[in-house]
Amino acid sequence: MTAALLVTAPTPAAAGPNLILNPGFETPGGPGNDGMPDCWKKSGWGNNDVTFTTVADAHSGSAAMKVDLTRRVDGDRKAIITENAACAPTVAADKQYDLSLWYKSTTPDASITLFRHDTTTGWHYWTDLKTLPVSAAYARAEVRTPVVPPNTDRISWGVSVYGVGSVTTDDYGMEEVTVPAPDPDCTGTPVECLKGRWDVLETKNPVRSVHSVVLHNGKVLVIAGSGNDESMFQAGTFTSAVYNPATGAWRQIPTPADMFCSGHVQLQDGKVLVMSGNKGYPSADGTIGYQGLKDSYIFDPDTETYTRTNDMHDGHWYPSATILGNGDVISFGGLKQDSTGNVTAEKFSAAQNRWLPISQVNQTWSYWGLYPSMILMQDGRLFYSGSHVFGNGTPGSGASIYDYTANTITDVPGLQNKDQRDESASVLLPPAQDQRVLTIGGGNNETNPKANRLTDIIDLKSPNPAYQPGPLLPQGEVDQGQGPRPQTGAEGKMYVSAVLLPDGKVFETGGALHDRADPVYEASFFDPVTNAYEPGLAKDPIPRGYHSSSFLLPDGRVMSVGDNPGNNTYNNNVSVYSPPYLFKGPRPEITSVPDNRWNYGDTQRITVNRPIAKAELIRPAAVTHSSDPNQRFVDLPLTVNGNNIDLNVTSNPNLAPPGWYMLFGVDANGVPSVAKWVHLGPQSAQGKKSADAPSAHVHDFAGDLEQPAKKPRKKRDSAPVSPTITGCDRSYGAAGVCVPTAFPKAVPPTTAARCAWLDSHDFGRLKVNGKEDPQRLDRNRDGVACGKGDVRRG
């Protein structure tokens, strides 16, 4: 939208007095105020040249403030309200405020930036609210703050200039507003209104879905490949399916390769890049582990077909997949074609629509493990959260920041019990602008302890970010083969799912107490505002452990699929969770989205049928093994004129990488609309920014890391990886069967006890592969584990 929209938009009725002192710069500052008007100060950072001038070119009165940036390498400069009790406006938690100003600008690189004062920790950057279009004449800009967080008593704000040019501002305004909340109206049972409801669908999932992707047409792609079934692999039978929530129908899709344990990510055009997969199962003698494919495919939601791309440099069984702000995809880790650890980074070019030669990709020759959770930060760096699959965390602190441009890795401290975060979940908390990551639970398939209750939170906006302990994960019931019992002590879960909801909470569900065993029935909300869990939600009646996933649907429900315990059965039941917000009366409705093709820095107008308190973009899921590093919730600050809502889109593609998003409007009771689909960013891989398109407003955070940056290692071909990295002893049964290399600690190291555990978990009698019997399950050496003769012999 253009500046004309801002000029012509009518000024809403005042909700209260203007809370800004010296809003028009008419009162000069006293001695020591650095030439600035009273209650205003110079601020900013970086390598740039700037002048601050009180000018007579005013919108009203005799003064205005001009910030003129004449040279810029990085950073920004701004005139903001002085951060003290005398000048900074007082605010109240849970309230919202309309901010306004008049401005002229010669640069598209300017935005309204907001700071807040925490009564405990002091002043902090809060968020960018609105990008200001270029305007030769005075134009009015208005925007509404998010809900004020707890412990916030004052705010400060101004216009950041982060490109060469000038911005002149005048006549600032700030007014408290009240967003009307509909009367509470419970439309379900009292329990549903408090805890939500699970429904198990009548139609089962037709494939062993290991991977789940929500497509931009609202359908769901599930991928099995061979589905952890060696007989399917030997037969060359690979499967995928598409589910249509509108009709409840499934459609199986021809699948060209074994995409079992591949990586996947939504590309900026809405197609799905699927990389690697399974070239071969472990050998029966245990000398060779899983082998990664080099193959790569693109799935087209419109035709529901796969098309092959060029190959990756080598196999990456269990790779990461993170989309970058320019639409490229970067991938790390996994197992090569020879079962060793892959140490090469690979990059898929959005412009060329192909994988680049590794000579064109920065390399540290580091082994990041399997499905390392690599989350894109607001400045383009990657945060490795410490969540991964199988075994121990990376050497060092277990979490780190990777700077692709500098090609350095810097450890980040504080992650608790970093070697027991196998199959934990990490999410960028709502909103993405806050740059906080939550890591939940986990275990270790090699040592097989009880999964933990640990949660950790890191604020990447800090100069020297470090994980801090979060609240313990709520406990539920666990079934260890004798029926459900309450969890006790430090018992938590691995294989946890964490789903960002449109009301801004994180829904965690599913999980198990041990490696591929002992499902945990528990669900909770994590509230990023209070940093607390809301326990005791309705529980999915279907176990959801290994190879399960949960994800948000456009109608605001959560769908859960899969469970593949160690005996290699598979649960094809599908569950759908309706959160309590769906039982709070009528939902707000987005009645029109005139333009569903958005660019960074846009102001986009929508209409709603009644007032909303917030709006956001949520990136659709592409999840496997508790991992979806691209999941994010991007706040859209509002400019409100009755039922016409102008949504202010971030100018930073690192906060919202290009692609299709679900747009939700949410009322003051936290009830969301059904999502509308909008596309953010270039309309094609070759799309170019217009001449006056804004640059990304990148803030200077995580810039004072305490640990020294680690330079690249010497070039190497691979990292050694044990063939039993999956935690399964290949001496018994088919490759998909997982007799643990380490039984839970409560199981005595005797044949009788181990066989009793296997029996309670429905393993049945297992063939012994070859002469080795490392777990002493075939004492009578008849080639079958846990027979009657084996148990009698102890």
Side-chain angles (χ1 to χ4, degrees):
M1 303 288 282
T2 65
L5 178 98
L6 303 176
V7 175
T8 58
T11 303
N18 187 359
L19 301 177
I20 305 294
L21 299 177
N22 200 16
F25 306 102
E26 302 294 329
T27 305
N33 209 42
D34 198 19
M36 293 292 286
D38 188 44
C39 280
W40 293 88
K41 73 169 189 174
K42 301 174 183 177
S43 183
W45 68 281
N47 182 359
N48 48 66
D49 295 332
V50 65
T51 58
F52 294 81
T53 310
T54 304
V55 297
D57 182 16
H59 172 257
S60 70
S62 59
M65 173 56 58
K66 183 176 183 179
V67 179
D68 190 4
L69 205 67
T70 54
R71 181 191 65 85
R72 178 185 181 272
V73 176
D74 58 19
D76 65 31
R77 298 292 163 179
K78 46 191 168 281
I80 66 169
I81 297 167
T82 306
E83 294 170 340
N84 61 29
C87 298
T90 300
V91 295
D94 297 324
K95 297 291 187 180
Q96 290 181 271
Y97 296 81
D98 279 338
L99 313 181
S100 64
L101 58 92
W102 289 86
Y103 78 96
K104 297 196 297 184
S105 173
T106 65
T107 174
D109 300 329
S111 65
I112 297 175
T113 300
L114 185 58
F115 297 79
R116 69 180 187 88
H117 182 259
D118 187 283
T119 55
T120 302
T121 57
W123 283 98
H124 303 274
Y125 162 77
W126 185 2
T127 190
D128 283 358
L129 292 176
K130 183 183 187 71
T131 302
L132 302 181
V134 171
S135 181
Y138 268 108
R140 188 174 190 272
E142 181 183 4
V143 65
R144 182 163 293 177
T145 71
V147 172
V148 174
N151 304 319
T152 301
D153 61 351
R154 295 183 180 276
I155 66 171
S156 171
W157 58 282
V159 174
S160 297
V161 184
Y162 48 96
V164 172
S166 66
V167 179
T168 303
T169 59
D170 197 7
D171 293 340
Y172 284 66
M174 175 174 167
E175 300 165 342
E176 181 183 324
V177 294
T178 300
V179 180
D183 292 333
D185 181 15
C186 177
T187 58
T189 68
V191 172
E192 290 170 342
C193 293
L194 288 174
K195 299 184 176 184
R197 184 186 73 215
W198 286 94
D199 295 295
V200 179
L201 303 185
E202 291 184 5
T203 304
K204 292 188 177 183
N205 183 351
V207 305
R208 284 182 154 215
S209 55
V210 177
H211 311 269
S212 301
V213 184
V214 177
L215 306 172
H216 70 86
N217 56 15
K219 297 180 181 180
V220 180
L221 169 68
V222 295
I223 302 172
S226 62
N228 202 21
D229 185 335
E230 191 175 17
S231 65
M232 296 280 280
F233 178 83
Q234 297 296 342
T237 303
F238 311 127
T239 59
S240 306
V242 170
Y243 173 69
N244 186 345
T247 64
W250 291 88
R251 178 175 182 265
Q252 294 206 49
I253 304 298
T255 306
D258 191 5
M259 297 173 178
F260 168 55
C261 294
S262 59
H264 37 68
V265 64
Q266 312 262 4
L267 296 175
Q268 63 184 23
D269 61 2
K271 296 176 182 177
V272 182
L273 178 65
V274 184
M275 66 202 72
S276 193
N278 180 38
K279 182 175 180 289
Y281 279 78
S283 61
D285 63 6
T287 60
I288 300 174
Y290 283 94
Q291 302 121 58
L293 275 177
K294 296 168 62 174
D295 301 30
S296 176
Y297 293 84
I298 290 178
F299 180 82
D300 187 334
D302 294 331
T303 62
E304 296 185 350
T305 57
Y306 291 99
T307 303
R308 189 161 182 174
T309 71
N310 66 315
D311 288 348
M312 305 178 83
H313 175 71
D314 207 318
H316 290 263
W317 189 72
Y318 278 61
S320 72
T322 303
I323 188 168
L324 305 177
N326 65 354
D328 290 351
V329 173
I330 195 163
S331 179
F332 302 90
L335 298 184
K336 294 177 62 174
Q337 295 180 97
D338 62 2
S339 297
T340 59
N342 199 314
V343 298
T344 57
E346 306 229 27
K347 184 182 277 192
F348 185 87
S349 167
Q352 300 178 41
N353 204 38
R354 66 190 301 272
W355 291 99
L356 298 175
I358 62 167
S359 60
Q360 297 178 22
V361 182
N362 288 346
Q363 301 293 336
T364 64
W365 310 112
S366 300
Y367 179 54
W368 293 93
L370 304 183
Y371 285 136
S373 180
M374 310 291 286
I375 296 172
L376 181 65
M377 295 168 58
Q378 55 91 18
D379 62 358
R381 289 179 290 176
L382 293 170
F383 174 58
Y384 168 57
S385 71
S387 287
H388 63 280
V389 176
F390 298 152
N392 296 333
T394 56
S397 66
S400 54
I401 289 175
Y402 173 55
D403 187 329
Y404 179 82
T405 303
N407 206 29
T408 57
I409 300 169
T410 308
D411 284 348
V412 172
L415 181 65
Q416 302 175 86
N417 213 351
K418 65 105 175 171
D419 288 333
Q420 292 188 18
R421 308 318 283 261
D422 170 11
E423 298 264 15
S424 60
S426 292
V427 291
L428 183 64
L429 287 171
Q433 287 92 332
D434 282 0
Q435 292 288 282
R436 297 197 310 144
V437 173
L438 170 71
T439 296
I440 306 171
N444 186 310
N445 73 319
E446 291 182 2
T447 57
N448 210 5
K450 293 178 180 179
N452 65 71
R453 300 177 63 192
L454 301 175
T455 70
D456 298 273
I457 302 171
I458 189 168
D459 184 352
L460 296 171
K461 298 192 307 299
S462 300
N464 181 31
Y467 268 117
Q468 302 295 326
L472 291 176
L473 192 64
Q475 292 179 307
E477 293 184 315
V478 59
D479 188 347
Q480 295 185 275
Q482 294 81 38
R485 65 160 177 84
Q487 287 186 287
T488 60
E491 292 178 337
K493 55 184 174 177
M494 56 197 302
Y495 312 120
V496 62
S497 288
V499 182
L500 304 183
L501 297 181
D503 64 354
K505 295 178 181 177
V506 180
F507 177 58
E508 70 82 18
T509 183
L513 187 62
H514 286 106
D515 180 36
R516 309 192 200 199
D518 305 338
V520 174
Y521 300 89
E522 179 273 337
S524 71
F525 292 141
F526 179 82
D527 188 341
V529 175
T530 62
N531 286 341
Y533 282 97
E534 180 183 332
L537 300 180
K539 306 168 187 175
D540 188 347
I542 306 301
R544 301 293 180 197
Y546 190 56
H547 289 159
S548 70
S549 55
S550 299
F551 43 89
L552 179 69
L553 297 174
D555 63 7
R557 297 180 300 162
V558 174
M559 186 171 174
S560 294
V561 297
D563 181 55
N564 185 196
N567 60 20
N568 205 19
T569 56
Y570 189 87
N571 197 314
N572 292 85
N573 287 296
V574 178
S575 305
V576 177
Y577 178 65
S578 298
Y581 55 54
L582 296 182
F583 302 100
K584 290 186 178 180
R587 304 174 69 170
E589 181 182 352
I590 300 174
T591 54
S592 73
V593 182
D595 182 3
N596 72 344
R597 298 280 178 164
W598 296 7
N599 273 306
Y600 297 102
D602 272 358
T603 297
Q604 288 285 350
R605 175 162 290 183
I606 65 170
T607 58
V608 293
N609 67 336
R610 57 183 175 83
I612 60 173
K614 63 181 178 181
E616 73 270 348
L617 299 176
I618 297 183
R619 193 170 183 91
V623 59
T624 187
H625 291 77
S626 301
S627 180
D628 183 1
N630 301 291
Q631 186 179 192
R632 55 187 55 212
F633 172 120
V634 183
D635 183 50
L636 297 171
L638 313 178
T639 302
V640 180
N641 178 28
N643 286 355
N644 293 320
I645 309 291
D646 292 335
L647 303 177
N648 298 284
V649 184
T650 178
S651 68
N652 187 350
N654 295 322
L655 287 175
W660 285 92
Y661 286 80
M662 293 179 281
L663 166 64
F664 289 95
V666 183
D667 73 15
N669 283 337
V671 179
S673 68
V674 173
K676 300 287 188 180
W677 287 96
V678 299
H679 184 273
L680 180 57
Q683 307 313 309
S684 69
Q686 291 74 35
K688 301 293 184 182
K689 289 184 176 181
S690 62
D692 64 345
S695 301
H697 187 200
V698 177
H699 294 274
D700 185 26
F701 299 126
D704 190 21
L705 301 174
E706 182 176 302
Q707 297 297 319
K710 293 181 284 189
K711 299 293 185 180
R713 302 172 57 122
K714 290 183 179 180
K715 184 177 179 179
R716 55 180 178 158
D717 291 330
S718 63
V721 172
S722 168
T724 59
I725 187 174
T726 59
C728 305
D729 198 322
R730 191 63 184 88
S731 302
Y732 310 97
V737 173
C738 188
V739 172
T741 54
F743 281 78
K745 296 188 186 305
V747 179
T750 66
T751 301
R754 288 171 173 169
C755 287
W757 187 92
L758 292 170
D759 181 64
S760 70
H761 290 81
D762 300 319
F763 276 75
R765 298 176 72 190
L766 300 171
K767 176 185 175 182
V768 179
N769 301 320
K771 297 180 180 180
E772 298 296 324
D773 180 22
Q775 303 293 344
R776 295 186 299 150
L777 304 180
D778 183 23
R779 301 299 300 277
N780 66 3
R781 307 186 71 82
D782 65 352
V784 178
C786 294
K788 291 182 179 179
D790 303 319
V791 176
R792 281 198 300 267
R793 291 168 61 89

